[in-house]
Amino acid sequence: MSWYRNVVWFVKGLREYTRSGYESASKCFDPADLEVDVAGRSFLITGSNSGIGKAAAKEIARRGGTVHLVCRNKERAEEAKGEIVTETGNQNIFLHIVDVSNPKEVWKFAEKFKNEHKLNVLINNAGCMVNNRELTEEGLEKNFATNTLSTYILTTALLPLLEKEADARVRQQVVLTEQWAKTHRSIHFSVMHPGWADTPAVRSSMPDFYQKMKNSLRTEAQGADTVVWLAVSSEAVKLPSGLFFQDRQPVPTHLPLARTHSTPGDEEKLMEVLEEFSQKFKSTSAGSSQCC
């Protein structure tokens, strides 16, 4: 009967991750959680020129936060920045042009950022879903370079900056979140699933899925809701660091029967390998990145 249970969990997940799942979950949300003023707090969001990243940036900007947009495409990033400033009236929106699939570039940006800014919240939103094998200029598989290695580098480089601030927070991948939560107790780490949202990434990377599901997908704002809640709400930090969230609630990191568990030894080895690998791309000089 394992196949039957898998089907049940798939159908259940289908419902939870779509717009109807969000609408159902949101009935239990406390609006007061997001009625906050975060003026004076600094937020860095990668991949924030579109989709969930841009939606999160808007909501944080509306609450007065200083927002640093880290984007790859300068033209689209400037357009997004202008849209955020216009809609929110918040002028404290800063743009950094960085290709997060390039580990050397990420190191240079992070070292420069540390010398020029403060940081309260890091939101690792940038990611890619490349279906066919692609290599970066450094010969790295593009999904790994973007979603794992450069995310590890950026967070590692900015941890000292975050540790200087009160109520520092990071959003990160599941295993990295759990591992860093154990070793950096002064920072609140969390990771979340946005559900299936109507974003440019879904449209371009999963065209068949999008065509079948487009009328049921969450909006970008709905997908970003838990990101914003984790970034600004005082309720979020009342829960333990290192948890995985969906619709503002902690949920298991593994589905039943999915067989995705890894051993503590494997997770520690992953951290060791990422650290060793990341250092190969670190330059002795901070370099420069474009910022406006």
Side-chain angles (χ1 to χ4, degrees):
M1 294 297 288
S2 61
W3 64 269
Y4 176 76
R5 283 180 287 179
N6 280 331
V7 169
V8 170
W9 277 103
F10 175 78
V11 173
K12 182 174 182 285
L14 188 68
R15 183 171 61 250
E16 288 182 352
Y17 293 151
T18 58
R19 186 187 308 157
S20 62
Y22 174 85
E23 291 170 348
S24 176
S26 65
K27 294 176 182 178
C28 299
F29 293 173
D30 185 349
D33 285 358
L34 297 184
E35 292 174 359
V36 295
D37 183 349
V38 292
R41 286 176 64 78
S42 177
F43 301 77
L44 188 155
I45 309 175
T46 62
S48 42
N49 66 281
S50 65
I52 290 171
K54 185 172 76 171
K58 283 183 183 179
E59 293 304 317
I60 291 169
R62 286 191 177 101
R63 291 161 177 79
T66 296
V67 182
H68 294 272
L69 310 174
V70 177
C71 310
R72 180 175 60 86
N73 184 290
K74 192 172 190 295
E75 182 179 350
R76 286 185 294 187
E78 288 178 339
E79 183 179 340
K81 176 186 174 183
E83 183 181 325
I84 293 168
V85 171
T86 299
E87 290 190 17
T88 68
N90 188 336
Q91 299 295 320
N92 293 319
I93 311 298
F94 300 92
L95 179 59
H96 308 270
I97 306 303
V98 184
D99 182 354
V100 294
S101 71
N102 186 324
K104 291 181 181 178
E105 202 171 315
V106 174
W107 269 122
K108 290 179 180 179
F109 161 71
E111 295 298 327
K112 186 173 187 290
F113 188 90
K114 283 196 298 186
N115 294 327
E116 298 178 354
H117 304 282
K118 67 172 243 180
L119 182 62
N120 297 95
V121 180
L122 169 61
I123 299 177
N124 288 303
N125 168 76
C128 67
M129 294 184 288
V130 178
N131 296 319
N132 298 317
R133 181 176 173 82
E134 289 185 26
L135 300 181
T136 67
E137 293 180 0
E138 292 76 23
L140 301 170
E141 194 279 321
K142 195 168 185 179
N143 287 301
F144 168 74
T146 304
N147 302 341
T148 306
L149 180 60
S150 289
T151 303
Y152 175 89
I153 290 171
L154 181 62
T155 307
T156 297
L158 295 180
L159 283 173
L161 192 61
L162 287 159
E163 287 176 331
K164 294 179 181 178
E165 303 297 330
D167 190 18
R169 311 185 191 187
V170 176
R171 177 192 163 220
Q172 183 53 282
Q173 293 193 22
V174 175
V175 173
L176 302 186
T177 293
E178 293 172 340
Q179 293 299 309
W180 271 322
K182 296 175 184 177
T183 55
H184 298 275
R185 300 302 179 94
S186 64
I187 301 173
H188 194 270
F189 290 86
S190 51
V191 64
M192 58 78 67
H193 194 303
W196 293 330
D198 188 349
T199 65
V202 169
R203 287 174 227 143
S204 62
S205 301
M206 306 169 67
D208 292 340
F209 172 82
Y210 175 73
Q211 286 301 319
K212 293 176 181 177
M213 298 292 297
K214 61 183 178 180
N215 294 327
S216 301
L217 297 177
R218 299 180 178 203
T219 66
E220 293 174 345
Q222 290 172 341
D225 177 80
T226 299
V227 178
V228 177
W229 183 80
L230 289 169
V232 307
S233 171
S234 61
E235 293 300 308
V237 291
K238 292 179 181 179
L239 294 164
S241 180
L243 297 181
F244 178 45
F245 289 83
Q246 180 182 330
D247 293 330
R248 304 191 192 183
Q249 294 293 321
V251 295
T253 55
H254 302 278
L255 291 174
L257 309 176
R259 298 181 181 177
T260 54
H261 292 269
S262 52
T263 67
D266 287 341
E267 293 180 0
E268 290 175 8
K269 183 63 176 178
L270 171 65
M271 300 299 283
E272 292 172 4
V273 170
L274 285 174
E275 176 60 22
E276 180 181 348
F277 202 36
S278 70
Q279 292 300 319
K280 295 180 180 180
F281 299 96
K282 188 175 184 179
S283 173
T284 54
S285 60
S288 61
S289 63
Q290 300 177 52
C291 168
C292 54

